[in-house]
Amino acid sequence: MTQSDVSIRPLLSRLGVSEAVLSAGNLNVRSPIDGANLAKLATHSVADVDTIVKQAQTAFLAWRSVPAPRRGELIRLFGEALRAEKEALGELVSYEAGKIRVEGLGEVQEMIDICDFAVGLSRQLYGLTIASERPGHRMLETWHPLGVVGVISAFNFPVAVWAWNAALAIVCGNPVVWKPSEKTPLTALACQALFERVLANFDGAPANLSQVVIGERDTGEALVDNPLVALVSATGSTRMGREVGPRVAQRFGRVLLELGGNNAVIVAPTADLDLAVRGILFAAVGTAGQRCTSTRRLIVHSSVREQLVARLKKAYAALPIGNPLTAGNLVGPLVDESAFKGMQSALASAREEGGVVFGGERVLADQFPNAFYVKPAIVEMKGQSATVRHETFAPILYVLSYDTIDEAIALQNDVPQGLSSAIFSNDLRETETFLSAVGSDCGIANVNIGTSGAEIGGAFGGEKETGGGRESGSDSWRAYMRRATNTINYSRELPLAQGIRFDV
Ligand code: UN1
């Protein structure tokens, strides 16, 4: 038995995942920490997915009639269960996704936060009333539950992104079918077990309100293509989104896509460089550069470039890299070998384009021959080359310079992706321009903080190849409901709109 095996089983059993499940099939689950095999799970066939979606549809028919505040009560109790198991679930996230302990816990905190948000929302699924042009009439909008919500999530936020979707979907009256990344199915099974524990003690909720399907591509496709899945909310690569989007559109389903980012930080001459160094460091190397919001580009004013890059290199050189469960380490492993190869090939291309690479090499190979720890890289580029414009899911920070703010904004926007962006500046004219219609074209634009680590209260998502979807806070809930426009006549006449007369 490996080290990971020893520690993970009590965690899983505490969270309600039975021992038998862990050796039920052929899907190998490995820990990025040391490459140890954590489980061999059974997968769902296309036919299984069909059955599961049908069960979800049955749940929908019951759940849609349960009053929304009562639906909120279920999510409140789920939030309580998450609070009670925060440590265990957070640690499991670290094992399976390789993120450092505080980030694993932070991810569970995002789940708790979205549950709290959804509970409040359950009494605020507001529609408008609208003035009618006809006498004795009134108009209103009513929001109704939508139907089965399919959630496809990525390895890097194996539990929070599901919770963003599930908490809102369930409060909005919908069941959820979740297809987690095949790299992180155990955390999904743990969330499902916790949810079921809460559901079992809840009066008036149907079975199968939340279900998990485990598998690879064909399992995901079966979910995407099923006409009973009213909304497919998918988080992952742009390549995945390009396939999911048209498939769902073909059957007139709805999609919510949260795809790649190529997030930049602009550092202006007036910036507080202490803040900038800290903000960039967390956003560029946190989660080993494997957040969709990770900072991948630094666009720095020529006058402060040398100083800032020198300070960043100093900070990078001091980064504690290693086992994410060991207190003090700030950078854990890449998720797997293919992520490592992707990083090395991006660095090789950047070198070919004239880039000067600092860091980026594999470390700790002796201690962890089957895991992939790297020194985060800083790459000074001559311009925004093809490699820079491509999202590589690894800790690479490309450095570009600028001289005018317009030039900086143009560089920031001149990539195919549009998720997150930030400016460090104390010049109000610059920061406001950056946030204005002619500024950042991203879904997230920040001032004097980094690109990652968004709170759940805001809508999360981005433009262009990022897919256009918005999840989590603000009014993102509307994606999980259908809108009905109602016109009510309380008069004894039947006037037609637009003044049309149609009398015989
Ligand atoms: C993701 O990487 O898919 O803003 C989500 C953040 C986190 C969520 C990231 N709250 O970095």
Side-chain angles (χ1 to χ4, degrees), residues 179-371:
K179 152 93 180 59
S181 162
E182 59 270 27
K183 292 174 188 164
T184 52
L186 294 175
T187 42
L189 293 177
C191 291
Q192 174 67 14
L194 267 186
F195 187 83
E196 276 175 13
R197 201 185 285 172
V198 173
L199 194 68
N201 295 314
F202 189 84
D203 208 20
N208 303 315
L209 200 49
S210 167
Q211 298 175 94
V212 172
V213 293
I214 302 291
E216 295 181 86
R217 199 192 164 95
D218 53 338
T219 314
E221 283 175 0
L223 190 63
V224 164
D225 290 339
N226 193 309
L228 285 175
V229 178
L231 170 68
V232 176
S233 174
T235 301
S237 66
T238 295
R239 191 176 50 76
M240 178 274 285
R242 240 189 212 111
E243 292 188 29
V244 168
R247 287 176 90 124
V248 179
Q250 184 68 25
R251 61 174 179 83
F252 298 103
R254 279 198 205 168
V255 283
L256 196 170
L257 297 176
E258 211 270 276
L259 312 172
N262 196 345
N263 318 298
V265 169
I266 296 173
V267 179
T270 60
D272 177 333
L273 289 189
D274 292 340
L275 281 193
V277 168
R278 285 170 52 206
I280 294 164
L281 195 67
F282 173 67
V285 312
T287 331
Q290 300 170 108
R291 290 193 188 211
C292 52
T293 49
S294 292
T295 300
R296 312 215 174 278
R297 297 177 295 142
L298 169 59
I299 303 170
V300 53
H301 193 268
S302 344
S303 65
V304 285
R305 174 172 178 154
E306 216 179 290
Q307 195 192 349
L308 180 64
V309 171
R311 288 184 64 174
L312 282 172
K313 284 184 177 168
K314 200 168 159 215
Y316 270 51
L319 279 172
I321 304 168
N323 188 330
L325 286 166
T326 304
N329 282 338
L330 293 180
V331 180
L334 293 176
V335 69
D336 58 18
E337 183 170 15
S338 105
F340 172 69
K341 286 187 173 154
M343 177 177 182
Q344 297 310 307
S345 100
L347 292 177
S349 312
R351 278 194 187 96
E352 271 166 34
E353 291 164 350
V356 181
V357 178
F358 169 86
E361 65 272 23
R362 185 171 175 193
V363 292
L364 303 172
D366 292 351
Q367 198 184 337
F368 299 109
N370 300 316

Side-chain angles (χ1 to χ4, degrees), residues 26 64 77 96 100 156 264 266 318 346 367 443 448 462 466:
N26 292 319
R64 65 182 176 176
L77 293 168
E96 209 184 23
I100 60 170
N156 66 328
I266 296 173
Q367 198 184 337
N448 292 338
T466 303

Side-chain angles (χ1 to χ4, degrees), residues 149-153 161-162 165-166 176-180 223 231-234:
V149 174
V151 177
I152 296 174
S153 61
V161 170
W162 167 73
N165 284 281
V176 174
V177 179
W178 179 15
K179 152 93 180 59
L223 190 63
L231 170 68
V232 176
S233 174

Side-chain angles (χ1 to χ4, degrees), residues 25 46 112 227 266 341 411 414 447 472 499 503:
V46 170
I112 294 168
I266 296 173
K341 286 187 173 154
L411 274 172
D414 187 23
V447 174
S472 188
D503 301 325

Side-chain angles (χ1 to χ4, degrees), residues 494 496 500-504:
L494 193 70
L496 299 177
I500 290 174
R501 299 298 304 257
F502 205 79
D503 301 325
V504 280

